[in-house]
Amino acid sequence: MGSVTDVAMEKGTLAQRKPTVVFVLGGPGSGKGTQCDKIVQHFGFTHISTGDLLRDEIRSGSENGTMIQRMMKEGKMVPPELTIKLLQKAMQECGNDKLLIDGFPRNEENRAAYEAVIKIEPKLVLFLDCSEEEMERRLLNRNQGREDDNIETIRKRFKVFKESTLPVIEYYNSKGKVRKIDAGKPSDEVFEDIKFFFTSTCGNIKHSCCVIL
């Protein structure tokens, strides 16, 4: 696995492009993937799922993939250097210069690594706020066959979100970048709120790249 420094040496083209970045954060089951799909359809985004990239790494049978699989089963965070490497590769390979990054940064380590390596401050942070009861119901009902969709792992993920991701949201809120959305409502109603915040803050964005973690 390459170091953050190694990744930084590869970032030239991304830095030159200076893409617009929007983060989407929320707990497991808050609807980040669903809402990103709606943004893709409504605003013409390109959609790249870094969550899928992690699962692809698992399926590759690599040493990193085995480590990722173990950590996901335990509800733990993937090491920031690996996450940044996969994320940056997806951002570089996307031909679009407006990026919607979903579920990242998940903790302060991710945020610090992102700022140190990629150095592109988000224009906006959408926070999908949803109760644990509703998120748990959604995760147990979605039947995607994912190993991390069992009750024990789900509750571990909730704990990690509260302890690790909420401080990131608070950090960006202190910079005036967070827009909090009630994600417990029906998805179409949630999207109406997202459209309002998205267009009022990023009204000039018409074609973008969505990166989901």
Side-chain angles (χ1 to χ4, degrees), residues 77-81 83-84 103-115 213:
M77 297 287 187
V78 176
E81 292 187 355
T83 302
I84 288 291
F104 181 91
R106 291 191 174 183
N107 56 27
E108 284 293 297
E109 286 185 337
N110 281 173
R111 181 186 65 77
Y114 173 88
E115 292 181 356
L213 185 69

Side-chain angles (χ1 to χ4, degrees), residues 1-2 54 56-72 78-79 81-83 85-86:
M1 178 172 64
L54 291 172
D56 286 345
E57 191 71 19
I58 291 173
R59 285 190 288 269
S60 75
S62 70
E63 183 179 346
N64 283 338
T66 300
M67 175 185 63
I68 292 168
Q69 184 177 42
R70 183 181 68 252
M71 298 191 79
M72 289 178 72
V78 176
E81 292 187 355
L82 177 56
T83 302
K85 187 172 184 178
L86 294 173

Side-chain angles (χ1 to χ4, degrees), residues 19 37 59 67 78 83 91 95 106 113 118-119 124 134 136 139 150 157 180 184-185 188 199-200:
D37 285 346
R59 285 190 288 269
M67 175 185 63
V78 176
T83 302
M91 292 171 73
R106 291 191 174 183
I118 299 178
K119 301 179 180 179
L124 176 69
E134 175 62 16
E136 182 176 301
L139 291 171
N150 61 76
R157 292 167 67 200
K180 184 177 178 180
K185 300 186 295 185
D188 287 345
T199 55
S200 62

Side-chain angles (χ1 to χ4, degrees), residues 23-36 39 102-103 125-131 135 138 161 166 169 178-184 187 190-191 193-194 197:
F23 289 157
V24 180
L25 293 172
S30 60
K32 296 186 298 297
T34 297
Q35 296 306 324
C36 273
I39 294 172
D102 171 12
V125 178
L126 297 176
F127 170 32
L128 302 185
D129 187 31
C130 191
S131 70
M135 291 190 291
R138 292 176 182 177
F161 174 76
L166 283 181
I169 294 170
V178 173
R179 303 295 182 271
K180 184 177 178 180
I181 297 164
D182 179 2
S187 63
V190 174
F191 185 56
D193 293 340
I194 288 176
F197 287 127

Side-chain angles (χ1 to χ4, degrees), residues 168-185:
V168 174
I169 294 170
E170 291 167 1
Y171 168 82
Y172 286 116
N173 190 48
S174 72
K175 303 185 76 172
K177 294 187 174 292
V178 173
R179 303 295 182 271
K180 184 177 178 180
I181 297 164
D182 179 2
K185 300 186 295 185

Side-chain angles (χ1 to χ4, degrees), residues 90-107:
M91 292 171 73
Q92 287 176 332
E93 292 181 351
C94 176
N96 212 314
D97 288 337
K98 299 180 181 71
L99 314 175
L100 182 66
I101 303 180
D102 171 12
F104 181 91
R106 291 191 174 183
N107 56 27

